Amino acid sequence: MVELRFDIHIYNSLNIELKEIWNKFELESSYSAFQSFSWVEAWYDNIGSDIYDIVLQIVVVKNEGVIYGIFPLSVRKLMRIRILEWIGGINSDYLGPLLCD
């Protein structure tokens, strides 16, 4: 039996470290325009943070330094309920993770 141990990192901001990880992973994976770092950053700066007041919860899954996936998630509040959802909301055609090929 093969045992895989994954490291899970959660980012609450679109910092330089995440940008480097994400842009490198874009070269190694299949993704839509709505999953690119540049689109997510633009959406967050113009809509997510201002209109929806979301909190980023971007999950990066690694195994021995190799990235297996990036899950661009966020938390928004609706009344007293916190909702974990994909970044992009109604402004995105494709909501989902970036996964390794």
Side-chain angles (χ1 to χ4, degrees):
M1 177 169 73
V2 176
E3 182 178 317
L4 293 176
R5 294 179 186 244
F6 291 100
D7 295 316
I8 297 173
H9 302 272
I10 300 173
Y11 293 84
N12 303 110
S13 69
L14 298 171
N15 60 35
I16 296 296
E17 177 186 358
L18 178 60
K19 182 176 183 175
E20 290 174 0
I21 290 168
W22 197 317
N23 285 333
K24 181 179 179 228
F25 192 63
E26 284 180 16
L27 300 173
E28 304 167 357
S29 64
S30 300
Y31 65 98
S32 77
F34 299 105
Q35 296 169 301
S36 69
F37 183 87
S38 59
W39 188 88
V40 168
E41 182 178 43
W43 182 86
Y44 176 73
D45 289 344
N46 294 291
I47 298 171
S49 64
D50 291 339
I51 296 172
Y52 296 118
D53 194 29
I54 66 168
V55 176
L56 296 173
Q57 297 291 304
I58 300 172
V59 179
V60 177
V61 179
K62 297 180 181 181
N63 176 272
E64 296 181 4
V66 176
I67 300 170
Y68 280 79
I70 297 176
F71 296 76
L73 301 167
S74 63
V75 173
R76 73 176 164 95
K77 290 181 185 175
L78 180 62
M79 292 187 245
R80 292 185 167 185
I81 300 170
R82 291 187 197 154
I83 302 168
L84 178 66
E85 61 189 2
W86 298 107
I87 289 176
I90 63 169
N91 306 109
S92 177
D93 286 345
Y94 182 81
L95 303 171
L98 290 85
L99 300 172
C100 62
D101 288 334

